[in-house]
Amino acid sequence: TPVLQNAIDGKTRRKVYVASKKRVVPNCGRLNRVVQVRAGVAERLGKASHAAHQLERNVCATPEECKAFLDRAAARLKPIRDADLAALLAKKREEKPNAKKVHPWDMAYYGRQIRKEKGIDEEALKPHFPSSEVVPAAIRALGEDLFGFVVKGPLEDAALWHEDCELYAVEADGKPVGYVALDLRSRDGKFGHQMVVPLRPALPGGAPNVCAVLGNLGDSAGLLRFREVETLLHELGHVFHALAGSPKPSILGWAWPMVPWPGGVEMDFLEVPSMLTQQFVYAPEMLAKIARPHSETGAPLPRETIDALAANRHLLAGAGTARYLAMCRYDLAMHELSEDDATRLDMPTLWPPICLDVAGVEEPEDTHFASTWYHMAIGYDAGYYSYLWSEVCAVDAYAKFADRLDAKEGARLRDIILEPGAAASGQAMIEAFLGRPVSD
């Protein structure tokens, strides 16, 4: 948040951080109950645990395989995590010479200072990314230049649920492939994150695919932070995955657990196209298409800034990824519990020791971030690891593009991975695209 990034007073940052992690106290009891019910259902189905039941339909098919993957990632990441925490502590000691450790509420504040020293200042970049121009440029760069579709829109005659929404049509060979409604601006009462929601699958003999992007991107002036541009490209990767599929039974189409029809891509393959398309945010060719002259000075986005963004794409990623890995282990720890243990234990108490061990930072007492961790209620239970699993596949595949909007490789990705949907296994599709097994 802006306070955690900019507030000089550490006590203020701590107060805001703790308040953010103590919201919606009743949800702690609801989380406990949800985990209990899941464990009980799994036992009645004869499964070893809820995690075992969930994972058996994924590429990573067992809790043991999943934990081994996370352990390998954590072991490789630990020296990078420790180096990041040391860099953050050194920066903190410039203000607080006697500081002994970095707290969770310090990360964004000192991280922003380190990024600024590297020539990366997200606030300074915002005037180059007006959403009204970036969004149509981004959807065409991916849809047309990379994947070979024809993108039309925003359509003027669209009747949607809010005046902020826009509708785009995606065509191939002169015929509609699907439609995507973009609802990207924040407003009161709206879902507070970003996601793509399939609204209708393409069925044989029926109408084409339809999906919607729900987002909360941009400030009051409609300017995007660089990370929000990355998020936009991520969500558009989901869009073209959702729309590219030819008509087929819905069980073989693009979907995920929040969708009210059966089927869908394996949970740990769902994010592969979106994780791949978000990589283009660092590509000079993509930035040349979507970045705009500074809204006040008219100056172009400096080449040295583009180079700095690309060179530092993994800056402080060790600390951030370590926290993500801790959340993955927390997810599995909850969902491997027996019904008896899930009834006896309080789920928020499982988090602090996992966070300290894996992320290397100590959470303040009596906080419970999971009370607002909505992933546990929308289908990512025993599946939060899938972001990293998908990212490993995506980064491996992205190497074929070499930061270029390569239409030939884009067509291969469309044919081999996007269009089949769930008609082939994720592992078979990624290996067919790479021509070899995935390298982690």
Side-chain angles (χ1 to χ4, degrees), residues 177 247 295 324 339:
V177 171
S295 59
Y324 161 78
E339 184 177 15

Side-chain angles (χ1 to χ4, degrees), residues 48-59:
S49 66
H50 178 69
H53 181 43
Q54 289 291 94
L55 290 170
E56 64 187 13
R57 66 196 90 173
N58 287 359
V59 179

Side-chain angles (χ1 to χ4, degrees), residues 13-14 84-93 96-107 110 356 360-365:
R13 295 197 306 273
R14 185 187 190 281
D84 286 353
L85 293 176
L88 289 162
L89 181 57
K91 177 57 62 178
K92 182 177 180 178
R93 284 174 174 165
K96 307 285 185 181
N98 296 323
K100 302 297 184 184
K101 60 183 177 180
V102 175
H103 298 291
W105 52 89
D106 294 327
M107 309 284 275
Y110 294 109
L356 182 60
V361 294
E362 187 175 355
E363 287 279 53
E365 293 182 0

Side-chain angles (χ1 to χ4, degrees), residues 345-429:
L345 294 173
D346 182 28
M347 297 307 118
T349 66
L350 303 181
W351 167 244
I354 294 174
C355 181
L356 182 60
D357 177 48
V358 181
V361 294
E362 187 175 355
E363 287 279 53
E365 293 182 0
D366 300 324
T367 57
H368 42 80
F369 92 93
S371 64
T372 54
W373 190 16
Y374 68 91
H375 287 82
M376 294 300 96
I378 64 169
Y380 281 85
D381 43 296
Y384 201 60
Y385 78 94
S386 60
Y387 284 102
L388 185 60
W389 186 280
S390 292
E391 187 173 12
V392 169
C393 297
V395 170
D396 203 358
Y398 184 73
K400 286 187 170 289
F401 294 89
D403 280 344
R404 293 175 293 109
L405 291 165
D406 186 323
K408 181 179 178 181
E409 291 297 335
R412 289 187 66 244
L413 188 78
R414 171 179 160 183
D415 291 342
I416 296 171
I417 291 179
L418 302 188
E419 291 193 354
S425 73
Q427 184 169 337
M429 288 188 284

Side-chain angles (χ1 to χ4, degrees), residues 213-228:
V213 183
L214 306 180
N216 292 270
L217 304 178
D219 61 14
S220 59
L223 300 177
L224 301 173
R225 289 187 173 86
F226 185 72
R227 292 294 177 185
E228 291 178 314

Side-chain angles (χ1 to χ4, degrees), residues 91 94 111-121:
K91 177 57 62 178
E94 292 178 12
R112 182 170 185 263
Q113 293 183 28
I114 291 173
R115 290 184 178 91
K116 193 171 183 179
E117 290 175 354
K118 298 288 187 179
I120 303 170
D121 185 346

Side-chain angles (χ1 to χ4, degrees), residues 37-102:
V37 170
R38 287 171 177 163
V41 170
E43 289 186 10
R44 285 155 182 78
L45 291 173
K47 308 297 181 179
S49 66
H50 178 69
H53 181 43
Q54 289 291 94
L55 290 170
E56 64 187 13
R57 66 196 90 173
N58 287 359
V59 179
C60 180
T62 67
E64 291 72 27
E65 184 181 0
C66 184
K67 287 184 288 189
F69 168 70
L70 295 174
D71 286 346
R72 291 196 303 274
R76 294 175 184 177
L77 189 70
K78 188 177 185 301
I80 305 170
R81 179 205 76 180
D82 291 347
D84 286 353
L85 293 176
L88 289 162
L89 181 57
K91 177 57 62 178
K92 182 177 180 178
R93 284 174 174 165
E94 292 178 12
E95 295 181 2
K96 307 285 185 181
N98 296 323
K100 302 297 184 184
K101 60 183 177 180
V102 175

